[in-house]
Amino acid sequence: MQDIHNMSQLTSADLELARAFPEGFLWGAATASYQIEGGAFEDGRGSSIWDDFSATPGKVFQGENGNVAADHYHRLAEDTELMSSLGLGAYRFSIAWPRILPEGRGAINNAGLDFYDRLVDGLLAKGITPYVTLYHWDLPSPLQQEGGWVKRETAFAYADFAEVVAKRLGDRVTNWITLNEPWCSAYLGYGIGIHAPGVQDRQAALDAGHHLMLGHGLAVPRIRAHSAPNSQVGITLNLAHVYANDERPETQRDVALADAFSNRWFLDPILRGHYTEGFFEQLGLNAPPVQDGDLATISTPIDFLGVNNYTRLLVKGNTERIPLADQVSLVAPIPSACYTEMGWEVYPNGLRDLLLRLTKDYAVSKLYVTENGAAFKDAWNGNGHVSDPRRVDYLRTHIAGLAEAIQQGAPLRGYFVWSLMDNFEWAEGYSKRFGIVYIDYPTQKRVVKESGYWYAGLLKAFNQAH
Ligand SMILES: N#[N+]C[C@@H]1[C@@H](O)[C@H](O)[C@@H](O)[C@@H]2O[C@H]12
C-alpha cells in the first residue's frame, strides 16, 4: 500500500489541530457487524431481525441486504492491515449475537467466537485497541419471534450473551460497549418501524427501551466479572444538542420536549437512576413495565459514556399544535446551510455543545465520541482515489469542536470516525456512503478516500507531537 501519509493534504491549521489534543487521546474508526461482515449464512451464524427485515419487500432500499456487505468476514487480514496503514489507535466493532448464539440463547457456536478471536488477535498484533460493542441491532430472530425487546426475558438473554463473549474475549478486550443507540433500536425498530423488526407501536417503543436499558444494567457486572481489572464498560447513545429557533415560550416548551425525547429518555435512567418527570404523560403513553430494582440495575455505574452525534436539532414552537415529545416541530432545511446525503445539517458546533452539556448536566467521568461522520455522494472512477472534500471539511470542523470542548472541560478521551469503510446503511441499503475508505462492492476493492488520507495524516501529526 502506498505510503498513505504522503497522500494526505493537511494544512498548517490541521497540524495545529492535531497538536491541540492531549497525549493519550485515542483516535479510531467504527463499524458494526451486520453492516460490514457479510458471511450471513456461514459457519453456523443464525438469522437476525435485520436478515428478516431486509428480506421483507419494501423495507430496505432496492431490497438490499447484509448477506455479503463489505465481505469483512473473509477479509480480516486485509482490513486490519488497512486500519494499521491508516494509523488507527483503536477500532470499534460489534459482535453479531446470531454468530455466537444462533437461537439467541443456549447452544454456543464456537466458530462465531473463533472469528472474533481472530479479529481481536489481529488488531492487538498491529497495536490497535479493540473497542467491542456487544449489541449493534442484530437481535437473533428466535428472540424476536418471542416478542424481542418488548419482552423482559430478552434483557436476561442479552446479559447471558454478553457473558459468553466476555468469557472468550475478556482476557484481551478491555473496552466494552453494551449497546449501540438503544433509542434507535426502540423507537425506529418498535415505535415507527422503519428499522428492524418493523413494529409500529409507540408504547412498544417505551417497553423495548426499558428492557434494552435493563439488559445493559444486567450485563455490566457480568462483563466486568470476566474482564481484566483495568477494563472499562460503557454504553453508546445517539444524542443531539437541541437549539431554539427563537425565544417564544412555545419554542422553549418544544426544546424541552425534544431534549426529553431525543436525549433524556435514556440519559436520565442510565446516569441519574430515574426517568424524566412527566415524560410518559407528554407522550400520551403509559410507563413501561418497570419492576422494583430495575432503575437501580439500569443505573449501575459505568466507566464512560459513548456519544454518537451527526447533527443538531433546531426547534421552532407551534402554538396551534401542542406537540407530543416525539412530534416536535423541527425547523425546515436552512437554505444557507450544508446538508449531508442523509438530509442532516452540517453543524459542527452541535457536537462541541453536546459534549459540554453532558459535562455540565451529567456526572460522566469519561466521554468518547463513538461515532461521527457524514454521507456524501462519493464516486470512484476505477483508478486513482476518491475525492471527498466535503467529508474532509466535515471531519476537520467537527474535530476542531472536540478540541474546544476539551479545552472547556469535557472529559473527552477519544474519537471514532463513522465509518472505517462504506457499508450497509440499514434501510438506506448501500445508497449512503459514510466510509473514509470507499468499497467498490462488485469487486470488494478497498479504495482510501481523500478523507482517509487526511485522517491518517492528522493521526500521524498527533503521534509526532507526543
Ligand atoms: N445513519 N447513519 C449512520 C450511522 C449508522 O450506520 C450506525 O450503525 C448507527 O450506529 C448510527 O446511525 C449512525
Side-chain angles (χ1 to χ4, degrees), residues 282-405:
Q282 286 168 348
L283 286 168
L285 297 171
N286 300 317
V290 181
Q291 293 190 16
D292 287 350
D294 282 1
L295 270 301
T297 300
I298 288 168
S299 59
T300 190
I302 53 177
D303 302 300
F304 65 86
L305 176 66
V307 177
N308 287 1
N309 174 261
Y310 290 85
T311 186
R312 66 164 172 173
L313 295 178
L314 181 61
V315 170
K316 181 177 181 181
N318 177 344
T319 45
E320 286 70 54
R321 185 173 56 80
I322 305 297
L324 297 173
D326 62 343
Q327 295 166 9
V328 163
S329 44
L330 299 180
V331 170
I334 304 161
S336 59
C338 168
Y339 289 78
T340 72
E341 283 299 294
M342 296 297 285
W344 298 342
E345 183 190 6
V346 176
Y347 192 83
N349 285 347
L351 177 53
R352 178 201 64 193
D353 294 347
L354 171 64
L355 296 172
L356 291 173
R357 183 272 173 103
L358 294 169
T359 302
K360 179 171 75 69
D361 293 348
Y362 293 89
V364 283
S365 55
K366 258 187 264 185
L367 291 167
Y368 288 91
V369 172
T370 39
E371 286 180 30
N372 172 250
F376 290 115
K377 275 192 187 307
D378 302 328
W380 180 53
N381 61 10
N383 53 48
H385 76 289
V386 176
S387 175
D388 60 339
R390 294 178 70 189
R391 185 174 289 106
V392 172
D393 190 58
Y394 181 100
L395 297 181
R396 173 184 286 129
T397 51
H398 283 78
I399 289 172
L402 303 184
E404 290 176 44

Side-chain angles (χ1 to χ4, degrees), residues 35 136-137 180-181 308 310 342 344 371 418 425-426 434:
Q35 295 183 269
H136 201 126
W137 305 356
N180 177 77
E181 300 193 353
N308 287 1
Y310 290 85
M342 296 297 285
W344 298 342
E371 286 180 30
W418 183 270
E425 183 43 54
W426 309 114
F434 276 88

